[in-house]
Amino acid sequence: MAGCVKAAAPAELAGLGGWHVPLARASQSVPLLQLVAGGNPVGGALSLWNVEDLLFERGIDICHETVRLWWNRFGPLFAGEVRRQRVSRMRGFRHWRWHLDEMYVKLNGEMVYLWRAVDHEGEVLESYVTKTRDKKAALAFMKRALKRHGSPEAITTDGLRSYDAALTELGSREKQEVGRWANNRVENSHLPFRRRERAMLRFRQMRTLQKFASVHANVHNHFNRERHLVDRQAYKQRRSAALAEWQALAS
């Protein structure tokens, strides 16, 4: 299905010329793609239909399937660039502590597991989907996180024995910490994903879930300004910096 746009003379779409615009030409509209393919459908709690209505108020008439098509094509590109830049900058800092946890996600009535790694500041480091939560799945998840982000000084987990077995094989058993409330950091980080899951009416394929979980984590990291920890002025500065960097990704 080809993407199409019906524009009511917005400035950023003035050069797209008409009612039915191919996706390749619509990609020239950087401000629109940043809105549709990035922050709103992924970082916030808006559904595809909400984004369609929001754009219509601003004079841009597109169908929600166009929003989906643009997100599938351009969302991972923007999120991948965000991840590469953040990982390269974070390599200069010490990773004090990781929090690991797995959450249930329903696919067509069947439960699968979304493994997530979060650092001590709430940055989502890795997301990985599996059908089981045994030692093999935990080991694959940890190897993926360690390869990309290096080794932390401490790893906090829940009481799942798969973590013990995987860490023992990796030779990092002494880094594991288990406590009753010690893993609240990663438990709370599940909430933004759950909000998006409800807005999207859940998922139907593991590939789609893996793709969205990775993109959502990167976009959420970029726009998470820790507003509850700073004053209004600092929050506004961080927000402006995040938006400027986001706009530069597609320029």
Side-chain angles (χ1 to χ4, degrees), residues 64-81:
H64 69 278
E65 288 297 336
T66 301
V67 178
R68 187 195 311 277
L69 184 64
W70 285 5
W71 177 84
N72 282 328
R73 179 166 179 178
F74 297 103
L77 297 179
F78 294 161
E81 186 60 30

Side-chain angles (χ1 to χ4, degrees), residues 159-204:
L160 183 66
R161 285 191 246 177
S162 300
Y163 292 119
D164 300 345
L167 287 170
T168 300
E169 182 163 331
L170 292 172
S172 302
R173 182 66 177 80
E174 69 283 354
K175 296 182 178 181
Q176 185 182 19
E177 298 180 2
V178 181
R180 186 173 182 181
W181 294 290
N183 226 19
N184 283 355
R185 170 70 73 178
V186 66
E187 295 285 354
N188 292 333
S189 76
H190 296 332
L191 299 179
F193 179 86
R194 288 298 190 193
R195 286 194 292 267
R196 285 299 313 144
E197 181 187 23
R198 288 192 293 270
M200 295 183 64
L201 302 179
R202 304 189 184 277
F203 303 92
R204 294 178 177 83

